[in-house]
């Protein structure tokens, strides 16, 4: 089944303890992206990747890192998490950015930073 | 991205067709109409998209008016599991990394 898989689905942790949220897609998609969703603010893009070893900042990149060493994986790294990063996170992928390709989303990761 | 206007909420009886309208009067010639939905706190789910012709897939049908200024998403036989917020998004086909902008959408409640 074609899908975007995120892990973990839920995580409660403490300020400053490094964490990684994994994202994997099995559709051979070139484009991957991370969003966060907060009440009243909608979805905001954190980072995106056009292909392997090509990443760039979205609208709210502060406090986050990403890497794209393989086409299928796009982990989101919080080196020193803070309470303002408590949010619902979504990973998305699409075949490419052009040609009207739709984006497919994972089921989300709910992070709570205490 | 062109702006879209959707009603904030709609109800639909289970088993009936749900018709969700979207107004996009400032749409440009190279912009697609996309529909996504989000069931409470789950990831947004792609439903369908189209440029100017009507489209149908296993989930829904998309009817775009001839002038392309509005569209309607049709769920032919709504079930309780179709209760969600539905988002209509207009976006150029060559949009590059323009992030998807989800507006407020239409909250569809399917009632037994």
């Amino acid at each position: 089944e074609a899908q975007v898989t995120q892990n973990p689905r839920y995580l409660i942790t403490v300020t400053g303890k490094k964490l990684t949220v994994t994202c994997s897609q099995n559709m051979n998609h070139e484009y991957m992206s991370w969003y966060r969703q907060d009440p009243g603010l909608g979805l905001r893009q954190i980072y995106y990747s056009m292909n392997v070893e090509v990443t760039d900042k979205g609208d709210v990149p502060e406090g986050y890192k990403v890497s794209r060493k393989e086409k299928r994986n796009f982990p989101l790294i919080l080196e020193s998490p803070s309470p303002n990063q408590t949010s619902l996170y979504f990973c998305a992928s699409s075949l490419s950015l052009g040609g009207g390709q739709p984006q497919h989303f994972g089921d989300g990761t709910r992070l709570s930073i205490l | 991205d062109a702006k879209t206007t959707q009603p904030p909420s709609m109800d639909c009886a289970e088993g009936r067709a749900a018709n969700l309208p979207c107004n996009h009067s400032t749409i440009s010639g190279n912009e697609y109409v996309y529909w996504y939905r989000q069931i409470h706190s789950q990831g947004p789910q792609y439903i369908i998209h189209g440029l100017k012709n009507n489209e149908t897939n296993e989930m829904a049908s998309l009817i775009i008016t001839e002038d392309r200024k509005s569209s309607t998403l049709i769920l032919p036989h709504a079930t309780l599991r179709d209760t969600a917020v539905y988002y209509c998004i207009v976006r150029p086909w060559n949009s590059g990394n323009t992030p998807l902008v989800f507006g407020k959408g239409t909250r569809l409640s399917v009632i037994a």
Side-chain angles (χ1 to χ4, degrees):
Chain A
E1 181 188 350
Q3 58 186 4
V4 178
T5 303
Q6 295 178 228
N7 280 296
R9 294 290 314 282
Y10 304 91
L11 179 64
I12 301 173
T13 188
V14 296
T15 299
K17 185 175 181 183
K18 180 180 178 181
L19 67 91
T20 299
V21 184
T22 63
C23 175
S24 180
Q25 50 90 7
N26 62 359
M27 297 169 278
N28 202 35
H29 284 174
E30 289 185 351
Y31 177 84
M32 297 185 74
S33 178
W34 276 103
Y35 292 83
R36 62 179 287 174
Q37 186 174 35
D38 302 288
L41 296 177
L43 278 167
R44 294 180 292 168
Q45 191 183 53
I46 304 170
Y47 268 94
Y48 66 95
S49 169
M50 304 285 281
N51 213 324
V52 176
E53 302 291 3
V54 181
T55 64
D56 210 343
K57 297 176 181 178
D59 296 323
V60 288
E62 293 78 20
Y64 304 95
K65 287 175 59 177
V66 293
S67 68
R68 187 93 182 271
K69 294 181 178 150
E70 304 166 281
K71 199 169 188 178
R72 63 169 45 226
N73 295 323
F74 190 45
L76 178 70
I77 303 157
L78 285 71
E79 293 270 2
S80 184
S82 63
N84 65 10
Q85 292 177 299
T86 292
S87 187
L88 180 57
Y89 292 85
F90 293 106
C91 180
S93 73
S94 66
L95 189 60
S96 65
L97 278 184
Q101 295 294 328
Q103 291 192 31
H104 300 271
F105 287 78
D107 286 335
T109 296
R110 187 170 290 281
L111 285 183
S112 294
I113 316 294
L114 305 178
Chain B
D1 292 345
K3 290 184 177 178
T4 62
T5 304
Q6 299 176 252
S9 64
M10 292 181 63
D11 292 337
C12 178
E14 189 178 20
R16 304 297 295 269
N19 296 280
L20 293 93
C22 180
N23 182 288
H24 32 79
S25 58
T26 60
I27 193 170
S28 299
N30 69 338
E31 289 180 318
Y32 282 82
V33 180
Y34 293 83
W35 283 85
Y36 286 79
R37 72 180 182 184
Q38 188 170 23
I39 299 169
H40 181 63
S41 292
Q42 294 182 22
Q45 179 186 22
Y46 163 75
I47 302 173
I48 199 167
H49 74 286
L51 185 61
K52 54 183 178 181
N53 297 321
N54 298 338
E55 301 288 344
T56 295
N57 63 21
E58 65 279 4
M59 289 183 68
S61 294
L62 173 61
I63 308 297
I64 303 174
T65 58
E66 194 168 339
D67 63 6
R68 301 187 71 239
K69 292 185 177 182
S70 66
S71 61
T72 301
L73 177 74
I74 301 172
L75 308 177
H77 306 287
T79 71
L80 298 178
R81 297 166 100 177
D82 292 320
T83 292
V85 180
Y86 287 76
Y87 298 96
C88 170
I89 299 169
V90 172
R91 182 176 167 81
W93 74 271
N94 58 346
S95 56
N97 181 61
T98 306
L100 284 174
V101 177
F102 290 78
K104 296 187 176 178
T106 296
R107 184 173 297 277
L108 175 69
S109 298
V110 180
I111 302 165

